[in-house]
Amino acid sequence: EDKVVQSPLSLVVHEGDTVTLNCSYEVTNFRSLLWYKQEKKAPTFLFMLTSSGIEKKSGRLSSILDKKELFSILNITATQTGDSAIYLCAVTNAGGTSYGKLTFGQGTILTVHP
Amino acid sequence: ETGVTQTPRHLVMGMTNKKSLKCEQHLGHNAMYWYKQSAKKPLELMFVYSLEERVENNSVPSRFSPECPNSSHLFLHLHTLQPEDSALYLCASSHDRVSPLHFGNGTRLTVT
C-alpha cells in the first residue's frame, strides 16, 4: 500500500523566517510527487516533481525531489502571514488501474505570525 | 475561482435523509474525482470517473453513490449516512491521468 508521511505536523514561525517542510513516501511504481496548499477549502496546486535533483521554483517557494532516498522538501523563504495554510504532499502511482489516484500525507499546518 | 464548482457549500443532514452533492468543472478536463477529508486524516480518494466511466471506487460504502452524466458534471448521492461520515467532500478534475488535480472548494457535510 502506498504511503506518504509529512513532517513536521505543525509549525509556527514569524514573518521573514525560512521554513522547510518534509515529505517521505513509499509507493510501488512511482510516477510523480505533488505539493498542494490548502488555506480554507480547495487545495491549490503548487508543484509536480517527477525527476530527482531538479528544483522547481515559484517566487519564494521551491521544491526538490530525491527518488533515491524517497523524499521531497518544500522550502518557503521570507515567510508572510499569507503563507499560513496546510501544505499537502501526495504521490501518484503509475500502475494501470490507478487513473490519477493520489495518495496524500496528513499535511503540515504552517502558521506564520506577524 | 478554481474552475471546479461544488454545491452546496455546507450541508447538515439527518441519518435518514437523502441528499446529493453536485460538482461542475469548467476546465474541459476528462476525469473527475470525489475525495473525503476528515479531521486529522489524509485526503481519501472515493471515486474516479474517466470519460464518463467509473474507474475506481476504493471500496466506499454503498450509502455513497456517484453519478457522472457527462464529463463536466459529477454528483455524490447520499443516503442513510452515519455521523462518522461528517467531513469535507472535495471534488477534483484533471485533464488526464498524469496531470495535476484541480480541486473545488468542497462541501462541508455534517451528519446528525
Side-chain angles (χ1 to χ4, degrees):
Chain A
E1 186 176 329
D2 299 345
K3 186 178 177 183
V4 177
V5 177
Q6 293 185 244
S7 64
L9 293 181
S10 64
L11 189 57
V12 180
V13 300
H14 287 93
E15 275 192 319
D17 289 349
T18 294
V19 298
T20 298
L21 309 183
N22 304 292
C23 176
S24 63
Y25 63 89
E26 297 173 19
V27 60
T28 55
N29 205 6
F30 174 89
R31 169 180 280 142
S32 61
L33 184 144
L34 297 93
W35 284 96
Y36 284 85
K37 177 183 181 182
Q38 186 175 22
E39 292 180 78
K40 293 279 175 65
K41 295 286 182 68
T44 53
F45 171 73
L46 295 175
F47 298 111
M48 182 166 73
L49 304 159
T50 56
S51 301
S52 273
I54 299 174
E55 185 183 54
K56 294 237 176 164
K57 197 170 173 66
S58 176
R60 296 176 294 103
L61 277 66
S62 63
S63 184
I64 198 161
L65 174 67
D66 186 329
K67 290 169 72 174
K68 182 179 178 184
E69 301 297 330
L70 307 182
F71 78 91
S72 174
I73 59 171
L74 175 68
N75 277 320
I76 308 175
T77 59
T79 52
Q80 303 171 357
T81 54
D83 295 326
S84 296
I86 302 172
Y87 289 84
L88 300 169
C89 175
V91 294
T92 63
N93 185 314
T97 60
S98 57
Y99 192 104
K101 176 186 174 182
L102 272 65
T103 299
F104 280 88
Q106 68 273 52
T108 293
I109 302 172
L110 174 65
T111 304
V112 181
H113 288 311
Chain B
E1 179 59 50
T2 68
V4 180
T5 304
Q6 289 186 243
T7 56
R9 300 292 289 269
H10 301 272
L11 178 62
V12 179
M13 59 186 288
M15 293 167 61
T16 58
N17 292 156
K18 289 185 180 181
K19 297 286 185 184
S20 296
L21 310 184
K22 180 182 176 182
C23 177
E24 182 175 0
Q25 59 100 356
H26 314 277
L27 301 169
H29 287 169
N30 296 313
M32 297 184 75
Y33 311 78
W34 280 115
Y35 276 84
K36 176 183 178 182
Q37 189 173 34
S38 303
K40 298 183 180 178
K41 290 178 70 177
L43 273 149
E44 302 170 71
L45 176 65
M46 300 176 72
F47 299 103
V48 181
Y49 272 86
S50 169
L51 297 176
E52 299 161 42
E53 292 185 45
R54 184 191 303 186
V55 177
E56 292 186 53
N57 66 10
N58 284 280
S59 302
V60 175
S62 60
R63 57 186 183 269
F64 295 92
S65 175
E67 178 189 358
C68 188
N70 55 62
S71 60
S72 299
H73 294 86
L74 185 65
F75 296 89
L76 188 62
H77 303 300
L78 317 170
H79 64 97
T80 59
L81 294 191
Q82 305 297 310
E84 60 264 29
D85 296 322
S86 299
L88 180 67
Y89 288 85
L90 289 162
C91 175
S93 68
S94 70
H95 181 67
D96 52 37
R97 68 172 64 227
V98 299
S99 299
L101 271 60
H102 292 258
F103 286 89
N105 281 319
T107 294
R108 174 68 64 184
L109 174 67
T110 303
V111 181
T112 61

